[in-house]
Amino acid sequence: MKRIVFILTMIALFGVNMTTEAKKTMVPKMYMFGIAASFNDSIVYFTNIQEVDNVWKESKNNFLLDRHVYSSQLREYMATKLQMPYRTCVVYYNANRTKLEKKFIKIRQLYTQPKKKQTNHFEIRYVDSGDFMFKALDASFYIDEAADTEEKTSGE
């Protein structure tokens, strides 16, 4: 019984020390594509795979920081340029273009291959990269925050 209490105490102590904030790191090049769909029609818009420079991610889990801003860029384009508001926009990303291309094909197949007993699935349209490009976010916020985090960890 004492061993169990000791082990649980050690896990609790190490668990508290190991829950540090994830570091934010800049990735010089990230690839991404977006999808814009609506529940009101069967048209799904895909962007091309685009290269975006100087993107920030969390080093712990490789999450793209402020992913919602990139999907908002696509949503804004759909609303203003194509007069299609209320689209649900999703952005997929990866630092490895080949992996993202495989994801692109897999996602596109979800919309193009009919399910059982369906003859017509979705209509796919592509957004030309000359019309829409993802824009990297202002990095000054992340640079300041990364410097603050670095000062905290070096001061301990």
Side-chain angles (χ1 to χ4, degrees):
M1 183 67 169
K2 287 182 182 180
R3 280 188 171 176
I4 294 173
V5 172
F6 176 74
I7 291 171
L8 291 175
T9 304
M10 295 305 290
I11 290 172
L13 288 175
F14 285 118
V16 170
N17 291 335
M18 294 174 69
T19 58
T20 59
E21 185 177 320
K23 289 185 180 180
K24 293 163 180 59
T25 57
M26 195 267 295
V27 179
K29 189 185 307 180
M30 184 72 74
Y31 298 98
M32 54 179 80
F33 71 90
I35 299 173
S38 173
F39 295 110
N40 296 329
D41 66 25
S42 62
I43 301 171
V44 179
Y45 288 86
F46 278 75
T47 69
N48 296 327
I49 294 177
Q50 301 175 11
E51 182 180 311
V52 182
D53 295 330
N54 303 326
V55 174
W56 287 80
K57 69 175 183 120
E58 289 182 3
S59 59
K60 186 175 183 179
N61 53 19
N62 288 327
F63 278 165
L64 181 66
L65 293 175
D66 291 329
R67 294 176 302 282
H68 67 280
V69 176
Y70 293 103
S71 61
S72 293
Q73 289 176 9
L74 181 56
R75 186 178 303 110
E76 182 68 22
Y77 168 79
M78 296 300 295
T80 58
K81 301 293 183 190
L82 299 181
Q83 286 73 43
M84 295 186 169
Y86 313 115
R87 291 260 164 194
T88 301
C89 297
V90 179
V91 174
Y92 294 88
Y93 59 92
N94 200 315
N96 183 321
R97 185 179 179 98
T98 305
K99 288 182 180 178
L100 190 64
E101 287 171 348
K102 289 179 183 178
K103 186 69 159 180
F104 182 87
I105 291 167
K106 184 178 179 181
I107 298 297
R108 189 179 59 198
Q109 285 177 346
L110 289 174
Y111 290 103
T112 56
Q113 292 181 351
K115 295 183 180 180
K116 295 177 184 176
K117 298 182 183 178
Q118 284 183 337
T119 56
N120 192 4
H121 205 49
F122 293 93
E123 180 182 341
I124 302 294
R125 294 187 185 170
Y126 295 95
V127 177
D128 186 14
S129 56
D131 295 334
F132 171 78
M133 291 290 291
F134 290 108
K135 295 175 186 72
L137 304 180
D138 179 22
S140 61
F141 172 75
Y142 298 116
I143 293 170
D144 294 342
E145 193 173 293
D148 291 343
T149 304
E150 194 65 34
E151 287 176 11
K152 288 178 186 176
T153 57
S154 64
E156 291 178 354

